[in-house]
Amino acid sequence: MTAVTATAAPAAPTSRGPHGLTWLMLRLHRSALWFWLMLLAVAAGLLLWAYGPGADAAWDEFRRMECGPTGTPSLSCDYAGPAYQNYDLALGLGAGLLYLAPLLTAAWAGGALIGRELENGTARLAWTQSVSPARWLAAKLAVPAALIATGGLALTALHRLVWASDGELREGWREWHHDPSYLANGTLATAHTLLGLAVGVLTGLLVRRALPALAAALAAQLALLWALTSIRPRLWPSETVTNTEGYPGADGMIVEEGVVTATGERIPDPVCLEDIRCSAGRKIVALYQDYQPAGHFWPLQLVETGIVLALGALAVLAAFRLLRHRTGATG
């Protein structure tokens, strides 16, 4: 009882309006706030280092091996020296932190933001001190969402700056369509993190216990990320290339590949070349690949972003309806 009273003691300012409720939430979850700021700082530091000293050192190393756009290609150009490895690691970690943010956010929102406060009674105590359940939930969503959007979009802009400045340096090592670079270069990293917040909040309200809600929210966000990744190549009309001598080697996000028969039939399975049951009675004349070229980056990003934000909005709506059903509150 003493612990609950001590935790809830700062609730008095909530009666003075939304600013007091926001300040209270920042105080209650200041550890998470500091962690988010630290994550942003580390990711920004890695990307800034890759943009400046890291890229310069990698280029100097490439020139010594006579690589790069002005060098003479040689066997040594296939070797990634220590300077390039450090550059590549910094760029990968910077993007990787953005890729992990949705999972960390879902786990935190389900466990600490909602589940723990419902489990220890802090939320119900707040509802008795001039804070309606709807206002309480709105603050739980709005404050983290503002911090996520601000920090996530800033890191995305920084990652795009690094990505655009050193295209030849990372060419052949990091492709535009590979995770986590794909998410970090557009609106998806922030959208998925906002979805993680909504999923975590809904899960916390459903489970109402910190640790189980943390695990369930993490599992749900992982499932959503996997599902959206699996349909990503088909979110925009693809282009097709064919080759009669081998795989076309399309430069982009592969949607489907297979063989073309003399009748024009497409069999989406390149193993068909060696499968007697598949090729029996058919004359295979070419191989094909359906793919998304680099020019489709923004259409793919924006379509998936719309889907992710719509799923987040549905989760938020479900959370408010669930809270109103359980508390009987109308506002």
Side-chain angles (χ1 to χ4, degrees), residues 11-202:
T14 61
S15 61
R16 294 202 293 265
H19 296 296
L21 187 57
T22 299
W23 175 247
L24 173 61
M25 183 183 163
L26 290 175
R27 287 188 61 190
L28 286 174
H29 299 283
R30 56 186 176 273
S31 296
L33 173 62
W34 282 114
F35 180 82
W36 174 243
L37 294 175
M38 180 189 70
L39 185 146
L40 293 177
V42 170
L46 289 167
L47 292 173
L48 286 171
W49 182 86
Y51 179 70
D56 292 340
W59 273 121
D60 289 342
E61 184 177 69
F62 270 37
R63 292 189 187 99
R64 289 195 299 270
M65 295 188 295
E66 297 184 342
C67 298
T70 60
T72 302
S74 65
L75 291 177
S76 63
C77 293
D78 294 330
Y79 168 72
Y84 180 84
Q85 290 176 356
N86 291 335
Y87 163 83
D88 186 65
L89 178 62
L91 183 59
L93 287 175
L97 290 175
L98 271 174
Y99 187 77
L100 288 176
L103 304 177
L104 296 174
T105 301
W108 168 74
L113 184 65
I114 301 296
R116 184 175 63 189
E117 293 200 18
L118 291 174
E119 185 177 15
N120 63 20
T122 306
R124 189 165 295 278
L125 184 61
W127 301 340
T128 65
Q129 297 185 356
S130 303
V131 178
S132 69
R135 279 186 56 206
W136 173 83
L137 182 56
K140 294 291 183 183
L141 286 163
V143 176
L147 294 171
I148 287 169
T150 303
L153 292 175
L155 276 186
T156 293
L158 183 55
H159 188 274
R160 287 190 60 83
L161 177 67
V162 181
W163 190 268
S165 66
D166 294 319
E168 293 175 340
L169 181 62
R170 55 173 170 73
E171 185 175 359
W173 295 82
R174 292 190 179 275
E175 301 291 342
W176 65 270
H177 53 86
H178 291 164
D179 288 335
S181 299
Y182 180 77
L183 267 68
N185 261 337
T187 52
L188 275 177
T190 300
H192 273 284
T193 308
L194 291 172
L195 175 61
L197 174 66
V199 168
V201 167
L202 177 59

